[in-house]
Amino acid sequence: MQKRDFIRTVTGLGLSSTAVFTSMKKLVTQHESTLPTELATDEDFWLKIRRGYKLKPDYINLENGYYCIIPQYTLDKFKAKVNEVNFHGSWYMRNHRFDDNITIRKKLASVVGCSHEEVVLPRNTTESIDTVIAGYDWKSGDEAVMANQDYGSMLDMFELQAKRYGLVQKRIDVPLHPKSDEEIVEIYANAITAKTRLMMVSHMINITGQILPIKKIADMAHSKNVDVLVDGAHCIGHFKFDIPALAADYYASSLHKWLSTPLGAGLLYVKKDKIKNLWQFFGDMGYADDDIRKLNHTGTPPVHTDLAVMDAIDFYNMVGPERKEARMRYLQNYWSAKVRNEPNIIVNTPVDPSRSCGIANVGIRNMKPADLAKALLEKHKIFTVAIDGVGVHGCRISPNIYTTTQELDKFVLALKDLAKVS
Ligand SMILES: Cc1ncc(COP(=O)(O)O)c(C=O)c1O
Protein backbone atom coordinates (compact mmCIF):
# COMPACT_ATOMS: atom_id res chain seq x y z
CA MET A 1 0.00 0.00 0.00
CA GLN A 2 1.25 3.47 -0.84
CA LYS A 3 1.94 5.76 2.11
CA ARG A 4 -0.74 8.24 1.02
CA ASP A 5 -3.37 5.48 0.68
CA PHE A 6 -2.63 4.19 4.14
CA ILE A 7 -2.95 7.59 5.74
CA ARG A 8 -6.19 8.23 3.91
CA THR A 9 -7.48 4.84 5.08
CA VAL A 10 -6.72 5.20 8.75
CA THR A 11 -7.69 8.81 9.09
CA GLY A 12 -10.79 8.55 6.95
CA LEU A 13 -13.72 9.91 8.94
CA GLY A 14 -16.25 7.30 9.90
CA LEU A 15 -13.86 4.41 9.28
CA SER A 16 -14.40 1.73 11.88
CA SER A 17 -11.63 0.93 14.29
CA THR A 18 -11.75 -2.65 13.01
CA ALA A 19 -10.91 -1.38 9.52
CA VAL A 20 -8.06 0.64 11.02
CA PHE A 21 -6.89 -2.52 12.78
CA THR A 22 -6.93 -4.41 9.47
CA SER A 23 -4.86 -1.65 7.81
CA MET A 24 -2.36 -1.79 10.64
CA LYS A 25 -2.15 -5.54 10.35
CA LYS A 26 -1.29 -5.17 6.66
CA LEU A 27 1.34 -2.59 7.52
CA VAL A 28 2.89 -4.89 10.12
CA THR A 29 2.90 -7.78 7.63
CA GLN A 30 4.84 -5.61 5.19
CA HIS A 31 7.49 -5.18 7.89
CA GLU A 32 7.57 -8.79 9.03
CA SER A 33 11.14 -9.35 7.86
CA THR A 34 12.47 -6.17 9.48
CA LEU A 35 14.29 -6.75 12.77
CA PRO A 36 12.29 -5.35 15.73
CA THR A 37 15.30 -3.30 16.84
CA GLU A 38 15.53 -1.79 13.35
CA LEU A 39 11.78 -1.14 13.12
CA ALA A 40 11.95 0.50 16.56
CA THR A 41 13.68 3.48 14.89
CA ASP A 42 11.18 3.81 12.03
CA GLU A 43 9.14 6.91 12.95
CA ASP A 44 6.88 6.53 9.94
CA PHE A 45 5.81 3.05 11.03
CA TRP A 46 5.08 4.12 14.62
CA LEU A 47 3.21 7.23 13.48
CA LYS A 48 0.81 4.89 11.73
CA ILE A 49 0.39 2.80 14.88
CA ARG A 50 -0.26 6.07 16.77
CA ARG A 51 -3.32 6.62 14.60
CA GLY A 52 -4.98 3.70 16.35
CA TYR A 53 -5.31 5.85 19.48
CA LYS A 54 -7.39 8.87 20.35
CA LEU A 55 -4.93 11.14 22.13
CA LYS A 56 -5.67 14.16 24.29
CA PRO A 57 -4.10 17.23 22.67
CA ASP A 58 -3.60 19.15 25.94
CA TYR A 59 -0.19 17.72 26.84
CA ILE A 60 2.44 15.14 25.93
CA ASN A 61 1.52 12.10 27.99
CA LEU A 62 4.64 10.61 29.57
CA GLU A 63 2.68 9.04 32.42
CA ASN A 64 1.40 5.79 30.99
CA GLY A 65 2.66 3.79 33.96
CA TYR A 66 -0.51 4.29 35.99
CA TYR A 67 -2.94 3.29 33.27
CA CYS A 68 -2.28 2.98 29.56
CA ILE A 69 -5.14 4.39 27.54
CA ILE A 70 -6.45 1.72 25.23
CA PRO A 71 -6.43 1.77 21.43
CA GLN A 72 -9.73 2.62 19.73
CA TYR A 73 -9.93 -0.96 18.45
CA THR A 74 -9.98 -2.42 21.96
CA LEU A 75 -12.22 0.36 23.25
CA ASP A 76 -14.84 -0.29 20.56
CA LYS A 77 -14.68 -4.06 21.10
CA PHE A 78 -15.10 -3.46 24.83
CA LYS A 79 -18.15 -1.24 24.29
CA ALA A 80 -19.64 -3.91 22.02
CA LYS A 81 -19.13 -6.49 24.77
CA VAL A 82 -20.86 -4.27 27.32
CA ASN A 83 -23.84 -4.06 24.92
CA GLU A 84 -23.83 -7.78 24.22
CA VAL A 85 -23.66 -8.87 27.87
CA ASN A 86 -26.39 -6.38 28.71
CA PHE A 87 -28.56 -7.68 25.86
CA HIS A 88 -28.29 -11.29 27.06
CA GLY A 89 -28.34 -10.46 30.77
CA SER A 90 -28.62 -13.48 33.07
CA TRP A 91 -28.78 -15.74 30.01
CA TYR A 92 -25.14 -14.88 29.28
CA MET A 93 -24.13 -15.25 32.91
CA ARG A 94 -25.82 -18.64 33.33
CA ASN A 95 -24.93 -20.18 29.98
CA HIS A 96 -21.67 -18.69 28.72
CA ARG A 97 -19.77 -16.92 31.44
CA PHE A 98 -17.84 -19.89 32.81
CA ASP A 99 -16.89 -21.39 29.44
CA ASP A 100 -15.79 -17.96 28.22
CA ASN A 101 -13.64 -17.59 31.31
CA ILE A 102 -11.71 -20.72 30.30
CA THR A 103 -11.26 -19.37 26.75
CA ILE A 104 -9.99 -16.04 28.09
CA ARG A 105 -7.58 -17.72 30.52
CA LYS A 106 -6.24 -19.93 27.71
CA LYS A 107 -5.57 -16.90 25.53
CA LEU A 108 -3.95 -14.95 28.37
CA ALA A 109 -1.86 -17.97 29.38
CA SER A 110 -0.54 -18.15 25.81
CA VAL A 111 0.84 -14.59 26.15
CA VAL A 112 2.97 -15.61 29.15
CA GLY A 113 3.74 -19.20 28.13
CA CYS A 114 2.00 -21.10 30.91
CA SER A 115 -1.00 -23.38 31.37
CA HIS A 116 -4.42 -21.77 31.82
CA GLU A 117 -4.76 -23.99 34.88
CA GLU A 118 -2.18 -21.79 36.56
CA VAL A 119 -3.81 -18.47 35.67
CA VAL A 120 -6.86 -16.48 36.78
CA LEU A 121 -7.97 -12.91 36.14
CA PRO A 122 -8.41 -10.90 39.33
CA ARG A 123 -9.06 -7.16 38.98
CA ASN A 124 -5.45 -6.01 39.29
CA THR A 125 -2.02 -6.64 40.80
CA THR A 126 -3.20 -5.57 44.24
CA GLU A 127 -5.85 -8.27 44.39
CA SER A 128 -3.43 -10.87 42.99
CA ILE A 129 -0.60 -10.11 45.39
CA ASP A 130 -2.82 -9.72 48.43
CA THR A 131 -4.40 -13.08 47.62
CA VAL A 132 -0.97 -14.69 47.87
CA ILE A 133 0.29 -12.82 50.92
CA ALA A 134 -2.93 -13.36 52.86
CA GLY A 135 -3.13 -16.95 51.59
CA TYR A 136 -0.24 -18.06 53.79
CA ASP A 137 -0.92 -19.59 57.22
CA TRP A 138 1.53 -17.21 58.92
CA LYS A 139 2.85 -18.22 62.34
CA SER A 140 4.43 -15.77 64.74
CA GLY A 141 8.13 -15.46 63.95
CA ASP A 142 7.81 -16.51 60.30
CA GLU A 143 9.81 -14.19 58.06
CA ALA A 144 9.22 -12.61 54.64
CA VAL A 145 11.65 -10.59 52.51
CA MET A 146 10.72 -7.60 50.38
CA ALA A 147 12.31 -4.34 49.15
CA ASN A 148 11.81 -0.74 50.20
CA GLN A 149 11.37 0.04 46.50
CA ASP A 150 8.36 -2.30 46.18
CA TYR A 151 4.87 -0.84 45.74
CA GLY A 152 3.47 0.72 48.92
CA SER A 153 0.22 -1.16 49.34
CA MET A 154 1.96 -4.51 48.81
CA LEU A 155 4.31 -3.57 51.64
CA ASP A 156 1.25 -2.59 53.68
CA MET A 157 -0.19 -6.07 53.19
CA PHE A 158 2.95 -7.57 54.76
CA GLU A 159 2.65 -4.99 57.54
CA LEU A 160 -0.90 -6.22 58.20
CA GLN A 161 0.31 -9.82 58.50
CA ALA A 162 2.97 -8.60 60.92
CA LYS A 163 0.34 -6.92 63.10
CA ARG A 164 -2.11 -9.79 62.90
CA TYR A 165 0.11 -12.87 63.07
CA GLY A 166 3.56 -11.68 64.17
CA LEU A 167 5.18 -12.02 60.74
CA VAL A 168 8.71 -10.60 60.73
CA GLN A 169 9.50 -8.39 57.72
CA LYS A 170 13.00 -8.09 56.30
CA ARG A 171 13.28 -5.14 53.94
CA ILE A 172 16.24 -4.76 51.64
CA ASP A 173 17.32 -1.87 49.37
CA VAL A 174 17.80 -2.42 45.66
CA PRO A 175 20.76 -0.38 44.31
CA LEU A 176 19.80 2.20 41.68
CA HIS A 177 22.74 1.24 39.46
CA PRO A 178 23.74 -2.38 40.18
CA LYS A 179 27.09 -3.58 38.85
CA SER A 180 25.88 -7.12 38.23
CA ASP A 181 22.98 -9.54 38.74
CA GLU A 182 25.03 -11.21 41.44
CA GLU A 183 25.14 -8.00 43.47
CA ILE A 184 21.32 -7.96 43.57
CA VAL A 185 21.00 -11.70 44.24
CA GLU A 186 23.41 -11.39 47.16
CA ILE A 187 21.41 -8.56 48.74
CA TYR A 188 18.26 -10.71 48.70
CA ALA A 189 20.20 -13.81 49.84
CA ASN A 190 21.62 -11.97 52.85
CA ALA A 191 18.11 -11.25 54.11
CA ILE A 192 17.11 -14.93 54.24
CA THR A 193 17.20 -16.87 57.51
CA ALA A 194 15.99 -20.34 58.49
CA LYS A 195 12.60 -18.75 59.27
CA THR A 196 12.05 -17.12 55.86
CA ARG A 197 9.04 -18.51 53.97
CA LEU A 198 8.29 -15.97 51.25
CA MET A 199 10.18 -13.37 49.25
CA MET A 200 8.46 -10.69 47.17
CA VAL A 201 10.44 -9.25 44.26
CA SER A 202 9.41 -6.59 41.75
CA HIS A 203 10.01 -7.69 38.16
CA MET A 204 10.18 -4.02 37.23
CA ILE A 205 10.51 -1.46 40.02
CA ASN A 206 7.68 0.96 39.36
CA ILE A 207 9.43 4.17 40.43
CA THR A 208 12.59 3.70 38.35
CA GLY A 209 11.75 1.11 35.68
CA GLN A 210 14.65 -1.11 36.76
CA ILE A 211 14.16 -4.77 35.74
CA LEU A 212 15.42 -7.31 38.28
CA PRO A 213 17.04 -10.70 37.44
CA ILE A 214 14.08 -12.75 38.66
CA LYS A 215 15.31 -16.19 37.55
CA LYS A 216 18.60 -15.82 39.40
CA ILE A 217 16.87 -14.48 42.52
CA ALA A 218 14.26 -17.28 42.39
CA ASP A 219 16.89 -20.02 41.96
CA MET A 220 18.81 -18.66 44.94
CA ALA A 221 15.62 -18.42 47.06
CA HIS A 222 14.51 -21.93 46.16
CA SER A 223 17.91 -23.32 47.13
CA LYS A 224 17.03 -22.01 50.61
CA ASN A 225 13.42 -23.31 50.54
CA VAL A 226 11.92 -19.83 50.18
CA ASP A 227 8.92 -19.22 47.90
CA VAL A 228 9.05 -16.35 45.41
CA LEU A 229 6.20 -13.94 44.65
CA VAL A 230 6.83 -11.59 41.73
CA ASP A 231 5.16 -8.20 41.36
CA GLY A 232 5.00 -7.85 37.59
CA ALA A 233 2.48 -4.99 37.51
CA HIS A 234 4.39 -3.25 34.70
CA CYS A 235 5.64 -6.20 32.71
CA ILE A 236 2.94 -8.10 30.83
CA GLY A 237 2.45 -6.40 27.49
CA HIS A 238 5.54 -4.24 28.04
CA PHE A 239 8.33 -6.71 27.31
CA LYS A 240 8.27 -10.34 26.30
CA PHE A 241 8.86 -13.22 28.70
CA ASP A 242 7.36 -16.55 29.74
CA ILE A 243 6.39 -16.77 33.39
CA PRO A 244 7.61 -20.39 33.88
CA ALA A 245 11.09 -19.38 32.64
CA LEU A 246 11.35 -17.00 35.59
CA ALA A 247 11.00 -19.99 37.98
CA ALA A 248 8.85 -18.01 40.43
CA ASP A 249 6.02 -19.58 42.43
CA TYR A 250 3.58 -16.70 42.05
CA TYR A 251 3.31 -13.89 39.51
CA ALA A 252 0.96 -10.90 39.60
CA SER A 253 0.24 -8.22 37.01
CA SER A 254 -2.18 -5.47 36.02
CA LEU A 255 -3.33 -5.94 32.45
CA HIS A 256 -4.78 -2.40 32.29
CA LYS A 257 -1.23 -1.12 32.32
CA TRP A 258 0.88 -2.31 29.40
CA LEU A 259 -1.39 -4.94 27.85
CA SER A 260 -3.82 -2.03 27.40
CA THR A 261 -6.99 -3.77 28.49
CA PRO A 262 -9.90 -1.82 29.94
CA LEU A 263 -9.50 -0.92 33.63
CA GLY A 264 -10.03 -3.72 36.13
CA ALA A 265 -8.14 -6.66 34.63
CA GLY A 266 -5.23 -8.41 36.30
CA LEU A 267 -3.38 -11.69 36.22
CA LEU A 268 -2.51 -14.08 39.01
CA TYR A 269 -0.24 -17.02 38.21
CA VAL A 270 0.25 -19.72 40.81
CA LYS A 271 2.52 -22.64 40.03
CA LYS A 272 0.38 -25.77 39.95
CA ASP A 273 1.91 -27.44 43.01
CA LYS A 274 1.57 -24.25 45.11
CA ILE A 275 -2.19 -23.82 44.66
CA LYS A 276 -3.36 -26.36 47.22
CA ASN A 277 -1.53 -24.77 50.15
CA LEU A 278 -2.82 -21.25 49.50
CA TRP A 279 -5.90 -20.22 51.48
CA GLN A 280 -8.47 -18.33 49.45
CA PHE A 281 -9.21 -14.71 50.27
CA PHE A 282 -12.93 -14.90 49.40
CA GLY A 283 -14.98 -17.92 50.42
CA ASP A 284 -15.46 -20.51 47.68
CA MET A 285 -15.52 -24.21 48.52
CA GLY A 286 -16.83 -25.20 45.12
CA TYR A 287 -13.44 -26.02 43.61
CA ALA A 288 -10.83 -28.65 44.43
CA ASP A 289 -7.98 -27.42 46.65
CA ASP A 290 -5.57 -27.46 43.72
CA ASP A 291 -7.92 -25.64 41.29
CA ILE A 292 -6.70 -22.05 40.86
CA ARG A 293 -10.28 -20.84 40.36
CA LYS A 294 -10.78 -21.15 44.13
CA LEU A 295 -8.61 -17.99 44.36
CA ASN A 296 -10.75 -15.90 42.03
CA HIS A 297 -14.20 -15.73 43.59
CA THR A 298 -15.12 -12.05 43.83
CA GLY A 299 -18.87 -12.39 43.44
CA THR A 300 -20.49 -11.34 40.17
CA PRO A 301 -17.67 -9.70 38.17
CA PRO A 302 -17.73 -7.22 35.27
CA VAL A 303 -17.34 -9.99 32.68
CA HIS A 304 -17.18 -7.58 29.72
CA THR A 305 -13.79 -6.37 30.99
CA ASP A 306 -12.43 -9.93 30.93
CA LEU A 307 -13.95 -10.51 27.48
CA ALA A 308 -12.15 -7.42 26.14
CA VAL A 309 -8.83 -8.82 27.40
CA MET A 310 -8.97 -11.08 24.33
CA ASP A 311 -9.26 -8.03 22.05
CA ALA A 312 -6.39 -6.32 23.82
CA ILE A 313 -4.29 -9.44 23.23
CA ASP A 314 -5.26 -9.34 19.52
CA PHE A 315 -4.02 -5.74 19.31
CA TYR A 316 -0.82 -6.60 21.19
CA ASN A 317 -0.15 -9.60 18.93
CA MET A 318 -0.93 -7.52 15.85
CA VAL A 319 1.76 -4.99 16.79
CA GLY A 320 3.98 -7.88 17.92
CA PRO A 321 5.44 -8.34 21.43
CA GLU A 322 9.05 -8.12 20.20
CA ARG A 323 8.30 -4.98 18.16
CA LYS A 324 6.59 -3.30 21.10
CA GLU A 325 9.41 -4.18 23.49
CA ALA A 326 12.04 -2.91 21.07
CA ARG A 327 10.17 0.37 20.50
CA MET A 328 9.61 0.91 24.23
CA ARG A 329 13.30 0.36 24.99
CA TYR A 330 14.32 2.55 22.06
CA LEU A 331 12.12 5.43 23.25
CA GLN A 332 13.54 5.30 26.77
CA ASN A 333 17.10 5.18 25.55
CA TYR A 334 16.35 7.91 22.98
CA TRP A 335 15.69 10.54 25.64
CA SER A 336 17.76 9.22 28.56
CA ALA A 337 20.96 8.98 26.49
CA LYS A 338 20.59 12.67 25.63
CA VAL A 339 20.54 13.77 29.28
CA ARG A 340 22.60 11.19 31.21
CA ASN A 341 25.77 13.23 31.01
CA GLU A 342 24.18 16.64 31.43
CA PRO A 343 25.27 18.58 34.48
CA ASN A 344 22.46 18.78 37.10
CA ILE A 345 20.42 16.01 35.47
CA ILE A 346 20.30 12.66 37.26
CA VAL A 347 18.93 9.53 35.60
CA ASN A 348 17.81 7.05 38.26
CA THR A 349 17.59 4.06 35.93
CA PRO A 350 20.46 1.72 34.93
CA VAL A 351 22.08 2.36 31.54
CA ASP A 352 22.39 -1.40 30.77
CA PRO A 353 19.53 -2.10 28.28
CA SER A 354 18.81 -5.49 29.87
CA ARG A 355 17.98 -3.74 33.16
CA SER A 356 15.19 -1.52 31.85
CA CYS A 357 12.68 -1.12 29.03
CA GLY A 358 10.29 1.79 28.39
CA ILE A 359 10.20 3.37 31.86
CA ALA A 360 12.92 5.48 33.49
CA ASN A 361 13.22 8.13 36.16
CA VAL A 362 14.99 11.46 35.94
CA GLY A 363 15.61 14.21 38.46
CA ILE A 364 17.25 17.63 38.54
CA ARG A 365 19.77 18.46 41.24
CA ASN A 366 18.38 20.83 43.88
CA MET A 367 14.87 20.65 42.46
CA LYS A 368 12.04 18.85 44.26
CA PRO A 369 10.42 16.18 42.07
CA ALA A 370 7.00 17.77 42.65
CA ASP A 371 8.36 21.11 41.37
CA LEU A 372 9.88 19.39 38.37
CA ALA A 373 6.58 17.66 37.51
CA LYS A 374 4.73 20.97 37.93
CA ALA A 375 7.18 22.90 35.75
CA LEU A 376 7.10 20.20 33.07
CA LEU A 377 3.32 20.36 32.95
CA GLU A 378 2.75 24.08 33.37
CA LYS A 379 5.69 25.44 31.39
CA HIS A 380 6.20 22.69 28.83
CA LYS A 381 2.86 20.84 28.68
CA ILE A 382 4.42 17.49 29.52
CA PHE A 383 2.59 15.19 31.93
CA THR A 384 4.72 13.01 34.24
CA VAL A 385 4.58 11.90 37.87
CA ALA A 386 6.85 12.96 40.74
CA ILE A 387 8.59 10.29 42.84
CA ASP A 388 10.24 11.41 46.05
CA GLY A 389 11.34 8.67 48.42
CA VAL A 390 13.44 5.55 49.11
CA GLY A 391 16.48 7.13 47.46
CA VAL A 392 14.65 8.11 44.27
CA HIS A 393 14.09 11.81 43.59
CA GLY A 394 12.78 12.57 40.14
CA CYS A 395 9.92 12.14 37.74
CA ARG A 396 8.92 8.78 36.34
CA ILE A 397 8.86 8.95 32.56
CA SER A 398 6.68 6.35 30.88
CA PRO A 399 6.03 6.88 27.16
CA ASN A 400 3.94 4.43 25.14
CA ILE A 401 4.12 3.08 21.61
CA TYR A 402 2.23 6.11 20.35
CA THR A 403 4.87 8.49 21.72
CA THR A 404 6.94 10.14 18.99
CA THR A 405 10.62 11.03 19.13
CA GLN A 406 9.53 14.58 18.31
CA GLU A 407 7.65 14.64 21.62
CA LEU A 408 10.70 13.25 23.39
CA ASP A 409 12.87 15.95 21.80
CA LYS A 410 10.56 18.51 23.42
CA PHE A 411 10.93 16.69 26.73
CA VAL A 412 14.74 16.69 26.49
CA LEU A 413 14.76 20.43 25.71
CA ALA A 414 12.43 21.05 28.66
CA LEU A 415 14.68 19.09 31.03
CA LYS A 416 17.78 20.94 29.87
CA ASP A 417 15.95 24.25 30.21
CA LEU A 418 14.87 23.46 33.78
CA ALA A 419 18.29 22.07 34.73
CA LYS A 420 19.89 25.40 33.72
CA VAL A 421 17.78 27.39 36.15
CA SER A 422 17.77 24.94 39.06
C1 LIG B 1 4.87 -2.31 41.09
C2 LIG B 1 3.40 -2.13 41.27
N1 LIG B 1 2.73 -3.05 41.95
C3 LIG B 1 1.40 -2.96 42.13
C4 LIG B 1 0.69 -1.91 41.63
C5 LIG B 1 -0.80 -1.84 41.87
O1 LIG B 1 -1.47 -1.98 40.67
P1 LIG B 1 -3.08 -1.98 40.69
O2 LIG B 1 -3.49 -0.69 41.30
O3 LIG B 1 -3.46 -2.10 39.25
O4 LIG B 1 -3.49 -3.13 41.52
C6 LIG B 1 1.33 -0.92 40.91
C7 LIG B 1 0.59 0.23 40.36
O5 LIG B 1 1.11 1.13 39.78
C8 LIG B 1 2.73 -1.04 40.74
O6 LIG B 1 3.41 -0.10 40.05
Side-chain angles (χ1 to χ4, degrees):
M1 190 190 289
Q2 293 299 304
K3 184 175 165 188
R4 235 188 30 234
D5 292 343
F6 181 91
I7 293 171
R8 201 182 305 138
T9 309
V10 296
T11 56
L13 283 179
L15 198 73
S16 78
S17 54
T18 305
V20 173
F21 179 90
T22 308
S23 302
M24 285 184 177
K25 205 168 169 180
K26 272 192 202 149
L27 169 78
V28 171
T29 310
Q30 286 161 9
H31 289 83
E32 221 145 48
S33 56
T34 313
L35 277 177
T37 44
E38 203 180 302
L39 195 60
T41 68
D42 183 341
E43 287 316 297
D44 198 39
F45 175 88
W46 293 101
L47 266 180
K48 289 166 185 165
I49 297 293
R50 179 182 167 101
R51 294 195 181 101
Y53 294 81
K54 189 171 176 187
L55 300 173
K56 222 172 135 185
D58 310 46
Y59 47 72
I60 295 171
N61 183 3
L62 298 182
E63 169 40 348
N64 290 279
Y66 193 155
Y67 162 55
C68 292
I69 63 155
I70 64 183
Q72 284 302 115
Y73 171 78
T74 312
L75 184 59
D76 287 345
K77 291 280 182 187
F78 173 57
K79 287 180 190 165
K81 259 124 204 183
V82 173
N83 285 336
E84 206 178 314
V85 170
N86 190 59
F87 178 68
H88 292 294
S90 303
W91 174 264
Y92 174 81
M93 301 303 266
R94 295 220 178 272
N95 294 300
H96 297 287
R97 179 190 152 193
F98 293 98
D99 285 349
D100 280 358
N101 180 263
I102 295 174
T103 310
I104 299 162
R105 284 164 54 221
K106 282 187 175 160
K107 191 156 178 167
L108 181 58
S110 73
V111 173
V112 287
C114 67
S115 157
H116 77 282
E117 293 183 346
E118 297 177 311
V119 159
V120 279
L121 284 97
R123 286 168 291 195
N124 44 51
T125 307
T126 305
E127 195 174 299
S128 302
I129 286 197
D130 285 1
T131 296
V132 175
I133 298 174
Y136 271 64
D137 57 335
W138 297 112
K139 309 275 185 312
S140 180
D142 282 350
E143 294 183 9
V145 175
M146 68 289 303
N148 285 317
Q149 289 79 10
D150 289 333
Y151 194 73
S153 39
M154 313 297 130
L155 295 175
D156 288 349
M157 193 58 179
F158 279 111
E159 187 72 32
L160 273 177
Q161 313 307 304
K163 277 192 168 175
R164 193 168 177 188
Y165 302 110
L167 172 76
V168 177
Q169 304 167 80
K170 292 281 176 72
R171 286 210 195 160
I172 59 103
D173 270 307
V174 178
L176 280 181
H177 299 283
K179 287 180 201 65
S180 65
D181 289 349
E182 287 62 38
E183 181 188 350
I184 303 171
V185 174
E186 197 183 330
I187 292 170
Y188 278 101
N190 288 343
I192 293 178
T193 74
K195 292 186 171 173
T196 310
R197 293 181 65 193
L198 179 65
M199 171 178 279
M200 182 174 77
V201 187
S202 290
H203 196 176
M204 174 184 270
I205 294 176
N206 83 94
I207 49 180
T208 60
Q210 181 180 166
I211 296 174
L212 297 186
I214 299 296
K215 169 84 167 65
K216 289 184 184 175
I217 296 171
D219 286 348
M220 173 281 295
H222 289 151
S223 74
K224 298 172 190 285
N225 288 324
V226 174
D227 293 340
V228 178
L229 161 63
V230 177
D231 181 341
H234 285 278
C235 304
I236 296 180
H238 185 161
F239 56 94
K240 194 172 155 42
F241 59 96
D242 285 344
I243 292 178
L246 301 173
D249 303 285
Y250 316 99
Y251 195 96
S253 192
S254 291
L255 307 177
H256 46 239
K257 291 190 188 286
W258 298 97
L259 194 59
S260 299
T261 71
L263 281 163
L267 167 143
L268 170 63
Y269 160 92
V270 182
K271 207 169 156 202
K272 189 72 185 156
D273 63 350
K274 293 287 172 185
I275 299 170
K276 63 179 179 311
N277 289 332
L278 216 52
W279 286 96
Q280 51 264 62
F281 207 40
F282 296 98
D284 191 338
M285 304 299 278
Y287 292 108
D289 277 351
D290 63 353
D291 188 326
I292 193 165
R293 287 175 291 183
K294 75 176 188 184
L295 301 171
N296 193 211
H297 184 110
T298 51
T300 308
V303 287
H304 22 63
T305 299
D306 291 359
L307 285 167
V309 167
M310 298 207 282
D311 304 304
I313 293 172
D314 287 343
F315 189 87
Y316 177 58
N317 286 337
M318 181 272 291
V319 172
E322 290 87 357
R323 289 183 204 99
K324 180 169 181 182
E325 172 175 347
R327 176 65 175 176
M328 292 294 293
R329 187 169 281 115
Y330 171 75
L331 289 175
Q332 188 259 115
N333 189 55
Y334 180 86
W335 71 262
S336 61
K338 289 181 162 59
V339 297
R340 264 186 204 275
N341 298 321
E342 283 292 313
N344 291 339
I345 298 185
I346 304 158
V347 177
N348 296 307
T349 304
V351 68
D352 176 350
S354 71
R355 293 192 196 284
S356 65
C357 194
I359 301 179
N361 182 299
V362 65
I364 291 183
R365 212 177 303 280
N366 300 326
M367 190 171 195
K368 284 195 178 125
D371 294 339
L372 173 58
K374 194 166 184 277
L376 282 171
L377 187 60
E378 289 179 1
K379 192 169 173 203
H380 298 279
K381 305 230 171 311
I382 297 172
F383 179 43
T384 63
V385 60
I387 308 285
D388 202 358
V390 289
V392 182
H393 309 287
C395 288
R396 180 179 70 181
I397 308 305
S398 50
N400 204 335
I401 51 170
Y402 51 69
T403 307
T404 62
T405 49
Q406 209 182 5
E407 289 176 321
L408 294 177
D409 286 337
K410 286 187 186 155
F411 171 58
V412 167
L413 281 180
L415 268 183
K416 289 182 179 173
D417 173 53
L418 296 168
K420 251 189 283 166
V421 292
S422 77

